[in-house]
Amino acid sequence: MTTPDFCEMNSFDSAAPSVNTAEEAIKQARKGLEPYLPHLVPLAEKFHEHGHRLYLVGGSVRDALLGVLGNDLDFTTSARPELVVEILNEYAEAVWDTGIAFGTVSAEKAGQQIEITTFRSDTYDGCSRNPDVQFGDSLEGDLIRRDFRCNAMAMEITPAGELEFCDPLSGMEDLLAHRLDTPDKPSISFHDDPLRMLRAARFASQLGFDIAPRVHEAMREMSHELQRITPERIQVELDKLMLGARPWVGIDIMTETGLAKIVYPELDALKMTQDEHQQHKDVYAHSLQVLRQAMDREDGEPDLVLRWAALVHDIGKPDTRAFDENGKVSFHQHEVVGAKIVRRRMRALKYSKAMVNDVSQLVFLHMRFHGFSEGKWTDSAVRRYVTDAGALLDRLHTLVRADCTTRNQRKAARLQRTYDHLLERIDAIAAKEDLARVRPDLDGNAIMQLLNLKPGPEVGKAWSYLKELRLELGPLDPELAEKYLLEWWNDYKDNPSG
Ligand code: ATP
Ligand code: MG
């Protein structure tokens, strides 16, 4: 990344979780886990009674050491899955064994979710998408097959109530250095499971860790292997990346290494395109900055829909780029083309219908406001803006405000003022009518009665006509709405296809 303002954006600040020494980290983890011990020690005792051990492992240990322990507690054990089910049945309120083929049994105890996976020592044939699941007998054997060393530490829960830190692969060194490195050679690890490459980008976003040079190199060489992975698994990691503290860093890693070409090729293509203001090196850098600015405007929880929309709002630009005779670049209707691209790509990645609709609709609407910049929108245009955005209106406000990366402060201030003005117009109209529920002034029954129709497509047409009228003119008296509808119906009957 060479754009100067972008280098600043890439630097990690104090917001990334961090500890200075191993002692401090372990102390922090013990303190964070203490509240759970009254429940966990009896569970560990049960494993011991059967001659087995119980370890907290993976992301839970990493996060506890960093002082950011979340809600999930993941465990590993020497006990085989059938025995784990038996023990959990005695201990927990609910037990799920849907993951038992992979050695995982889940349970809930006192409102806490736990997952226990038997030591694994899988083998991979390098072709199929899933490993050949095999159970192992040693903790170290389990840890070495994990993705990154910082994710390959464990803490044994002892029956005496102690938390024993186990780190045979020196994961702590990586944790303190903020480094993502693989236990084994990266090329072997990524060949075994190419999803790990995307996970590296995801952890860079979530944790602010740097990818070790040898890992980065392997990712550049092997990114194409991600093709073997199902869209469902990819989607999970992508969303975690997008919900992380610095998704723009994760996305940048994806484009640098070639992962983006596999997962979201249109994102990669943004690098080619000069934006119309020629202020940025390319639309790509602009998109990452808009993502960041949209996040700055989030209130509270990370907003996946908003973040995706911000990242891909200009995704239609490469396909619509044109130059006039003076060499000036334009991207006519890029929002329409972009919305279609987003739809296609998100469907391929198996996103839910709602996600696909929301993100693509925001992309579709992100330019609409620019027609307002003269401040000359009619009430009808304001109504349509609100109605077309529907439940996405607040996000649309955020996206449009964030979509301003000019260095010209006067220009930026003007844009924000114009948007303030649009909000005032929305408020003024909302004070007079219910903008959130713009509906025709007559309902289906009234339409059928007035026009003497049975249910059918003509009622739908009449309804649409009234909805247009409602958007155009605002709320109407029923008599006036009836008058307009009858006029429309007389014309329609004469020429139904027109
Ligand atoms: P989070 O729960 O915040 O998403 P996590 O590190 O717990 O982060 P999970 O996907 O829940 O990530 O995985 C739990 C642990 O399982 C990881 O910490 C890692 O040790 C191991 N793991 C998960 N996926 C893989 C993989 N593809 N290859 C190797 N090890 C993995
Ligand atoms: Mg986890």
Side-chain angles (χ1 to χ4, degrees):
M1 192 53 50
T2 48
T3 319
D5 56 344
F6 218 75
C7 292
E8 291 154 32
M9 287 167 51
N10 266 352
S11 64
F12 281 100
D13 51 37
S14 53
S18 176
V19 278
N20 294 320
T21 64
E23 292 71 34
E24 191 188 313
I26 294 167
K27 201 167 142 197
Q28 185 157 259
R30 291 206 169 109
K31 194 159 161 236
L33 290 164
E34 209 173 79
Y36 299 95
L37 285 182
H39 286 305
L40 295 182
V41 174
L43 182 62
E45 276 169 359
K46 285 188 189 294
F47 278 87
H48 266 252
E49 282 163 22
H50 288 89
H52 291 285
R53 292 172 165 212
L54 183 67
Y55 304 85
L56 193 69
V57 75
S60 311
V61 173
R62 176 199 69 219
D63 291 345
L65 292 166
L66 288 170
V68 291
L69 185 65
N71 285 327
D72 293 346
L73 293 182
D74 295 337
F75 297 87
T76 188
T77 179
S78 45
R80 292 297 186 258
E82 298 70 31
L83 179 58
V84 176
V85 172
E86 199 184 308
I87 293 175
L88 283 175
N89 274 336
E90 284 174 26
Y91 163 83
E93 285 113 31
V95 179
W96 296 270
D97 64 359
T98 40
I100 200 158
F102 299 98
T104 303
V105 186
S106 313
E108 189 177 314
K109 168 80 176 179
Q112 175 68 47
Q113 297 281 331
I114 60 174
E115 239 175 40
I116 305 183
T117 305
T118 302
F119 290 162
R120 300 244 311 240
S121 63
D122 307 331
T123 52
Y124 296 83
D125 60 12
C127 311
S128 63
R129 290 165 170 182
N130 291 315
D132 176 13
V133 178
Q134 282 168 23
F135 301 125
D137 293 310
S138 77
L139 175 68
E140 187 164 352
D142 179 273
L143 294 178
I144 202 143
R145 56 156 283 280
R146 290 179 182 261
D147 51 358
F148 299 105
R149 285 202 296 245
C150 62
N151 286 342
M153 295 178 272
M155 285 190 116
E156 185 182 357
I157 322 273
T158 73
E162 246 115 69
L163 288 161
E164 295 281 356
F165 182 55
C166 317
D167 185 18
L169 305 173
S170 305
M172 180 63 90
E173 268 177 40
D174 285 7
L175 188 93
L176 296 176
H178 289 184
R179 182 170 54 223
L180 290 162
D181 202 352
T182 46
D184 203 344
K185 264 198 182 152
S187 54
I188 297 175
S189 173
F190 296 157
H191 188 65
D192 284 349
D193 183 359
L195 186 70
R196 292 170 185 166
M197 294 186 275
L198 190 56
R199 286 173 63 86
R202 182 261 264 210
F203 288 119
S205 163
Q206 276 185 326
L207 303 170
F209 283 20
D210 296 320
I211 296 178
R214 66 173 192 151
V215 173
H216 200 272
E217 201 183 311
M219 286 166 71
R220 291 176 83 115
E221 276 163 20
M222 303 176 67
S223 55
H224 59 277
E225 294 206 26
L226 194 64
Q227 278 164 334
R228 281 196 274 135
I229 301 300
T230 59
E232 288 82 358
R233 287 183 80 202
I234 287 178
Q235 191 208 105
V236 170
E237 295 303 328
L238 264 186
D239 283 351
K240 287 187 174 176
L241 182 157
M242 288 301 284
L243 288 169
R246 287 164 186 76
W248 57 90
V249 173
I251 295 291
D252 208 35
I253 290 167
M254 284 177 57
T255 56
E256 261 173 20
T257 54
L259 292 173
K261 276 206 178 77
I262 309 293
V263 171
Y264 211 134
E266 299 83 0
L267 263 180
D268 205 64
L270 290 180
K271 282 199 159 169
M272 315 298 293
T273 321
Q274 184 89 49
D275 84 337
E276 68 257 61
H277 315 296
Q278 314 217 342
Q279 294 276 345
H280 290 281
K281 195 179 119 223
D282 48 36
V283 182
Y284 172 73
H286 163 77
S287 301
L288 294 195
Q289 199 175 335
V290 172
L291 167 61
R292 184 187 172 131
Q293 291 179 175
M295 286 170 61
D296 287 343
R297 292 176 174 275
E298 275 172 355
D299 47 357
E301 291 300 292
D303 183 339
L304 191 60
V305 168
L306 174 69
R307 290 181 179 198
W308 268 119
L311 178 65
V312 300
H313 72 284
D314 278 346
I315 208 92
K317 280 193 169 177
D319 286 356
T320 53
R321 181 169 63 163
F323 295 95
D324 69 10
E325 57 276 16
N326 303 318
K328 197 173 175 299
V329 70
S330 70
F331 302 97
H332 189 54
Q333 295 222 314
H334 71 268
E335 69 280 18
V336 180
V337 172
K340 280 195 192 136
I341 293 174
V342 166
R343 229 166 232 290
R344 198 175 57 226
R345 181 57 51 203
M346 291 186 83
R347 278 195 191 132
L349 287 165
K350 307 281 181 201
Y351 276 93
S352 69
K353 240 188 185 158
M355 268 294 281
V356 177
N357 287 342
D358 286 356
V359 177
S360 63
Q361 181 69 353
L362 283 169
V363 172
F364 180 71
L365 291 173
H366 87 274
M367 292 298 289
R368 175 85 68 88
F369 157 73
H370 295 281
F372 183 78
S373 41
E374 306 287 295
K376 285 185 192 135
W377 271 16
T378 57
D379 280 2
S380 140
V382 175
R383 249 179 233 118
R384 280 175 202 278
Y385 192 69
V386 174
T387 307
D388 290 349
L392 297 168
L393 188 62
D394 284 342
R395 287 177 172 131
L396 183 60
H397 295 332
T398 309
L399 174 62
V400 176
R401 286 192 190 273
D403 185 14
C404 170
T405 55
T406 173
R407 287 164 192 263
N408 180 336
Q409 299 205 348
R410 278 186 30 219
K411 209 169 152 191
R414 191 170 351 116
L415 183 115
Q416 299 301 343
R417 269 200 316 276
T418 313
Y419 209 84
D420 290 343
H421 183 46
L422 172 58
L423 289 192
E424 285 162 19
R425 291 283 305 281
I426 292 174
D427 286 348
I429 299 176
K432 287 186 266 167
E433 55 186 279
D434 183 2
L435 266 183
R437 278 174 53 87
V438 172
R439 298 183 64 76
D441 298 284
L442 305 175
D443 66 12
N445 281 330
I447 292 170
M448 288 191 285
Q449 216 169 21
L450 188 72
L451 305 183
N452 197 19
L453 288 175
K454 292 203 166 56
E458 283 169 335
V459 182
K461 289 214 168 92
W463 196 91
S464 301
Y465 166 73
L466 282 173
K467 167 102 189 248
E468 281 298 303
L469 204 65
R470 169 69 182 76
L471 282 164
E472 206 53 47
L473 303 177
L476 296 178
D477 286 339
E479 295 82 54
L480 197 55
E482 285 175 11
K483 176 174 165 288
Y484 280 132
L485 183 64
L486 283 170
E487 282 171 13
W488 170 83
W489 177 238
N490 283 330
D491 289 348
Y492 178 82
K493 273 192 309 192
D494 294 343
N495 182 13
S497 56

